Amino acid sequence: QVQLVESGGGLVQAGGSLRLSCTTSGRTVSTLGMGWFRQAPGKEREFVGAISRYGNSRYYANSVKGRFTISRDNAKNTVYLQMNSLKSEDTAVYYCAARANGLDDNFDEYPYWGQGTQVTVSS
């Protein structure tokens, strides 16, 4: 069983930066494609970005492209989401998710999820 734990959320002013971390256990992270999703109050969960098992492929939602960067350190079993130029509309609970094969932007394709970390951007 794969366990995922996010950290790094918090309160930040618009224009600021945060880095989220997602640490995995129960399975070697290099066997997992990883995704980040977010859910704002009253809204559906939405795709943020994803990274392949060895980090050679990644892609992002248009809403965060150029501002957010996903990276991974397989030696530390950790995936990161660097968020720059934050906007109030980025306020949400952020989740990392894992799947055995490839990248996907559909949350139904990810069987493993963390508990989420709150990001609040004040304007």
Side-chain angles (χ1 to χ4, degrees):
Q1 186 71 5
V2 177
Q3 291 84 41
L4 308 175
V5 179
E6 302 97 335
S7 61
L11 175 64
V12 63
Q13 289 188 332
S17 298
L18 279 176
R19 188 177 79 159
L20 306 183
S21 300
C22 174
T23 301
T24 68
S25 61
R27 183 166 171 173
T28 303
V29 72
S30 61
T31 66
L32 299 168
M34 302 294 294
W36 285 95
F37 293 80
R38 66 186 183 186
Q39 188 166 19
K43 295 188 177 181
E44 294 186 351
R45 191 168 299 191
E46 66 171 352
F47 172 74
V48 174
I51 187 168
S52 60
R53 294 185 299 164
Y54 295 101
N56 53 314
S57 296
R58 60 195 82 185
Y59 75 106
Y60 303 92
N62 288 334
S63 58
V64 307
K65 199 174 297 182
R67 300 188 297 123
F68 290 11
T69 302
I70 298 175
S71 61
R72 64 191 299 158
D73 185 340
N74 286 348
K76 295 182 178 180
N77 283 329
T78 301
V79 177
Y80 304 97
L81 178 65
Q82 177 67 45
M83 305 185 294
N84 298 329
S85 302
L86 283 161
K87 306 175 181 179
S88 57
E89 52 262 44
D90 295 318
T91 295
V93 177
Y94 283 72
Y95 299 89
C96 69
R99 66 193 302 267
N101 297 301
L103 307 180
D104 206 288
D105 61 2
N106 183 349
F107 63 79
D108 285 334
E109 296 297 322
Y110 289 81
Y112 308 111
W113 289 83
Q115 82 289 350
T117 186
Q118 176 70 47
V119 172
T120 303
V121 184
S122 62
S123 56

